[in-house]
Amino acid sequence: MSAMDLIVGEAEIDSQEEDESFDEETGQVRRKANGVNGINGHLDDSSEEEDDDDDEEAAAAIRKDFIVEDDEEPEERERRRRERKKRRREEREEEEAGLDEEDLDLIGEANPDFERRVPNEPKLKRLKRGHKEDRDVRRPQGVDNIFDSEEEGEEDYRNQRQPHRTDPRNLQDEFADFIEEDFDDRDGAPDDDDADIARPTGRTYTGIKDVTGLDEAALEDMKEAFGEGDEYDWALNIQDQEDESEQRVIDPEDPDAFSKGLELKDVFEPSQLAERLLTDEDNEIRAVDMPERFQLARKPYNHLTLTPEQFKEEGDWISDLMWSRKALPLELKDPFRRAVAKVLEFMVSDEYEVPFIIQHRKDYLIHSRRIPISPDPSNPGADDFEISAEKLLTHSELWRIAEFDLKFRALVEKRNALSETYRKLQEMADFQDEVFEEMLPTAATMEELQDVQDYLHFQHASRLADLAAMDASSNSNGTHRRPGSSKALFERVRNSKVYGLVHAFGITADAFARNALKEGGRQYIEDPTERPDDLADSESIMDPPDYSTGAQCLKAAKAMLAEEVFLSPRMRKLIRMAYYQDGIIECFRTEKGLRRIDENHPYYDFKYLRNQQMREFGHQPDLFLRMIRAEEEGLVEIKIRMQNAESFRKKLYGDIESDNFSEVADAWNRERRDVLDMALLKLDKIMAKGVKENLKNECEDQVALRCRDEFSKRLDQAPYKPRGMQLGTVPRVLAISNGAGAFGREAVCWAWVEEDGRVLENGKFTDLFLGDPERGQEDGADVKALVKLVERRKPDVIGVSGFSADTRKLYKLIEEIIERKDLRGAEYEDSDGIERTDKLDLVVVNDEVARLYQTSQRGAMEHPGFAPLTRYCVGLAKYLQNPLKEYAALSKDVISITLDPAQTYVPQEKIFKYLETSLVDIVNIVGVEINDAVSDWYTANLLPYVSGLGPRKAQQLLKIINLNGGAVSTRAELVGDADQQRVGAVGPRVWANCASFLYIDFDSSDPEADYLDNTRVHPEDYELGRKMAADALELDEEDIEAETLEHGPGAIVRKLIKEDQQDKVEDLVLEEYAEQLERNFNQKKRATLETIAQEFQSPYEELRNNFTLLSSEEIFTMFTGETRDTLYEGMVVPVSIKKVGEDYIEARMDCGIEGTVPLSEISNRPEISPRQLFQQFQTVQAKIMYLNRKTLAATFSLREEEVRNPAKKDHDRIPGDWDEAQERADKESMKEKNDVSGRTQRVIKHPLFKPFNSAQAQEFLGSQSRGDVVIRPSSKGVDHLAVTWKVSDNIYQHIDVLELDKSSQFSSGGTLKIGGKYTYTDLDELIVNHVKAMAKKVDEMMLHEKYQNGSKAETERWLSTYTEANPKRSVYAFCIDPKHPGYFFLCFKAGQHAQLQSWPVKVVPQAFELQRNMYPDMRALCNGFKLLFTNMQSKRR
């Protein structure tokens, strides 16, 4: 057999493999013609035609020149070689033009929004498509499909397979169908064209037998004469290797390999790859055997290796930082330092994450002592001591140590860089700087290192410049900077004779700092014999032309010495300590804040705050963060100064002055004091800035830690426990909600979710109410449906929640139905083994996760056909079933949950980092059943938080497990098993971290199963567990050996479990065993032995707390959105009147709380009927007299004297902490300003009224939310008011309000008219029914999918780009009109070559106005626009 026969065989195999492919959407087999896709059997791949040409040429060459002629011209051979090389390059390019569908789906499966590109989309998408002839024909789109609301193809599968033309005469009918489709909010089906990507076609070769037609005997004779044809195989092999290298083929056994000619980064945008964790860096993280979180955190310091001395220093450094916050006895300081050092060793040397250390090294976190006790006469054999154990480190503190480790690495890196720079300077110029050499090793913070760096750059600026000139790369370490002009000035002084005057001051900056710090002996100062001015005038000092007068010389010398004091590391250390010890923080309002911050403003509680010590903000970090935010908004200025600054300054004077008594000494001391004042002025600025930044970071950390603690409480909840079941049992849940709908008028949605998470039923109740048997009123039809549902499904609990206060009515209704109909939960056995049932449980569910789930992409993917409110019910049910999984599934969206009111002042990245540590803690306490994670992505969401793993390694873990067969039998399999041909899913270090937190359900029927794999026991401790089991069974060495040889290493434990002898483990004396291990092997295992004993009894026992029911206060906030700070008794709020009775009024607040106004609180004129004063649907101001937070009910007062006197918040202020004088002065100033302007003299009794002009109103609303309002005086006179409201950022609409029926010149009108079209009875009605109604329409517009968040020009560019990419499509979009507040542009382009057009859309109360037509919502507006455009097109035709 020849080499060509082998090639033919290979080609035949390849063609068989490519005979058919699968449609990934339909699963149907697609047949191919001759190994490629074809239509009607015709080939459509040009590369195949080239292959045929090659084959014909090869055959001709064989027939013609079968015997190679030695005299072939070299030029001819070279030409043929170039042609072959060119053909191969063209073939490779064509192969690279087609991509494997599996490669594309690496992104597509995880990103449903990913769309493959069509050939006419080069400007929008990068993905190249297969051959056009191989695709199904699609219906062309043009003006007939104008402004299709579905951005991608909408035709169903049949339409795509059956192309047809659109009759222009049926234009109106087609638009009718199109508008009908527009009422469906769901996205169109994915374009089937994009599912087919042409696969590259491999090259084939033609065999000798095929082209010669010779029989087998003739071929044998030919071989004997001319050889086997393999004489040139060596050259062919070299060429094949070059081809493989050019094509970048990756090892197919590598599971991460993208084994194609193209790489992912050649096809997809970097942002897409980064989002899906598919970059080269992500792959490197997957490959490196180190915990993922460690890799990410330590990435900036990968090049840094700590020396043993630095490692010891780090332990002491972290211990000193943490000890000050520990409330431990002083005798535990040394054990605490040893514990910190040991934890660092675990983290750095062993690369163990926090959960591993907590679970398997907890003995090193506990300090135990033997405390002698008096002997017990009744028990002479008892111990004469007791064990006292003290926990040294907590979960949070371990995470803190990990964070401090990163800070110390940054510290060492900067210190090393400075040391290296100093070494290079010494090599260049032989010198020694004692200050630098002393201060660099002792610098313990980044601030102190920065001080040393600033000193180095100042003191050796010229040398650094020379070093940079000699070695340009030296700037890469970040310690070299170009000297500024001020540095050059001081260099001139240092290099001139004037520097002699600096020496004449008699003390250096460092010596002065030593005196102030009381370091070493005091350095006494000797005064020169001449006065400072006389010495400055001498020839020995003056240095023309720069310093030609004595005054210039003295000024320059003082500035030089002041700069040296300012840049002295010791001096900065002294001032910094003084600021932290005696620093005072004060807040001063700005001119802007004077107007903006009134008594109702949230910043008013610190507007005049004074004399606050920094330690006070440790208890209220949110206060300082709000001050920082107010300063960023330009409303206040924060100033930090030293308490008793003058006495501190005088002490420093004594350290820099001489002790001599003479006129000359006094003159020099005056100059020295001036120098110190100059230095302190600069030091105060830099220290105040640094202290403020550090305090801000500390307060952010405190708030983030509070969020972490609160989040941990929410995570630390077991599933809702059904009656009679063990803790951890997943309940069957019926979830019900009315959403934000009005109770009794809108449908109630429900969903039934099984314990395995499947949603088996869902529906709506539209007639759910209880009748009155006494009056003959029957129950609503859906009451019977609910009862049947409960009796059929037997839920363990009914969960209720919603978005409004009306949800409480739903809760009370369900509660009454359960009571009246005697609805009961599932049966269970009590402690006596008797079957029983109890009344069905009904709970209000925390809906913070369900609110995100209902509109999330995850919810839409899981339940695409469900309404959002039904998905909300599913989210409620799943929260009851497992809160931890619900929070874990949120991923980074978890920061959307409000955990602390001050978290909005902390960067989201920092909040997420803290919340992630909480998830890691709880997930590893609970553990993950690895086979469940493989089969259930909902459980797989927990894997990234397992110790040692992360998002990337979790993906890799699941991928490898699936490659290995889709199931894990033992924990040891995760690191690979060569005998069973199992690829390692994780490396040894990662496996050591995660092994005990990934458990496998024990199957007693499986002889290979290990019981310990179903426990929290780490594989490194399996031998301890087996030894304990053997001791409990009282087996000797021979029995153990025989059992192990026969049944494997886990046989002893299996025997213990099979014989149900776990209780015997409790009889073992673990204390003695632990002492023996520590004595013989230096291993602390006391707590580990306890864990093993517990796991024998209850493997992976549920350790979370019971499911936490919401308190009344939490339910109040969830249903109303209000807190005790935002809604309280005595507060004046707008209410809408629902009903007016003879002696009462029913009203409702915006938050949904309803209440009554008794007759005595309606008015002061009881003789007038309430119906004469008020009417239904009227909005009025009311004062809350009583608020029941449990029942969500209130009592209001409408009396004028009550409304005018709302309750004011009490501020507990310590005398001296509040500048009352400034507060009074500001109030007087504001009053005077109001008296100056006649227009601002008018005051309207309304909380939204402000004495502003239009500019002030816009400035006030600048930081407010969209839709916020200011009522202000109008320049048009006393019979007008102006209402300014925020349409969007930097866009404000000013509304002129005409007042009619005024009782006096300064009172508000009884009738308010806007534009002669809208009429209102009072300001509250105007705000609610006019301004707020328009604001809702603006929100509706800006949240619509067709809205473009940009200018008109940007929107038009987008339309042009879209139509260029889709020439036969038409498109439209909305954008805001900033020049005309309240208007939007409707921009559209009817095809690629059509003209860009725009129509104005006006926002009016309750509607949008387009071409003088009113449309109630965006859907109607879009459909109306299409009808208008269609009619316009029809008229033109």
Side-chain angles (χ1 to χ4, degrees), residues 599-600 1116 1122-1133 1149 1182-1187 1189 1195 1206-1210:
E599 293 186 2
N600 295 320
F1116 175 84
E1122 305 286 353
T1123 64
R1124 288 190 177 273
D1125 293 330
T1126 61
L1127 193 68
Y1128 49 87
E1129 292 178 357
M1131 190 175 181
V1132 175
V1133 296
M1149 287 188 280
K1183 182 177 181 180
I1184 303 174
M1185 306 302 293
Y1186 172 73
L1187 180 61
R1189 296 177 181 272
T1195 301
K1208 295 184 178 180
K1209 293 184 179 180
D1210 294 330

Side-chain angles (χ1 to χ4, degrees), residues 1228-1241:
E1228 291 295 329
S1229 174
M1230 291 297 295
K1231 184 177 179 181
E1232 290 176 3
K1233 289 181 180 179
N1234 292 340
D1235 291 342
V1236 170
S1237 173
R1239 179 159 56 91
T1240 60
Q1241 291 178 359

Side-chain angles (χ1 to χ4, degrees), residues 210-251:
D210 294 334
V211 297
T212 61
L214 300 176
D215 57 19
E216 191 171 345
L219 283 175
E220 288 296 330
D221 294 339
M222 185 175 62
K223 291 177 185 177
E224 290 178 2
F226 304 108
E228 293 286 342
D230 54 0
E231 292 82 359
Y232 298 95
D233 280 357
W234 61 273
L236 294 175
N237 291 335
I238 293 176
Q239 184 63 47
D240 290 342
Q241 291 174 5
E242 292 178 356
D243 292 345
E244 291 178 2
S245 175
E246 292 177 6
Q247 293 178 14
R248 302 192 301 273
V249 176
I250 304 172
D251 181 9

Side-chain angles (χ1 to χ4, degrees), residues 355-414:
F356 179 93
I357 298 172
I358 283 287
Q359 180 66 27
H360 304 297
R361 299 292 184 268
K362 65 179 69 173
D363 294 273
Y364 295 91
L365 312 179
I366 299 172
H367 180 66
S368 58
R369 295 173 293 172
R370 290 189 175 187
I371 301 176
I373 58 175
S374 301
D376 186 1
S378 61
N379 187 9
D383 294 331
D384 58 352
F385 62 88
E386 63 180 10
I387 301 296
S388 173
E390 190 80 33
K391 192 171 186 179
L392 301 175
L393 292 167
T394 64
H395 270 85
S396 298
E397 288 167 342
L398 290 186
W399 288 109
R400 194 74 170 154
I401 290 175
E403 185 179 349
F404 281 140
D405 174 56
L406 299 178
K407 291 183 178 180
F408 185 80
R409 288 169 183 265
L411 194 75
V412 171
E413 183 182 45
K414 190 174 183 69

Side-chain angles (χ1 to χ4, degrees), residues 728-752:
T729 303
V730 178
R732 294 172 296 181
V733 182
L734 175 62
I736 304 177
S737 177
N738 64 326
F743 179 74
R745 293 201 300 269
E746 297 189 26
V748 174
C749 289
W750 60 270
W752 164 261

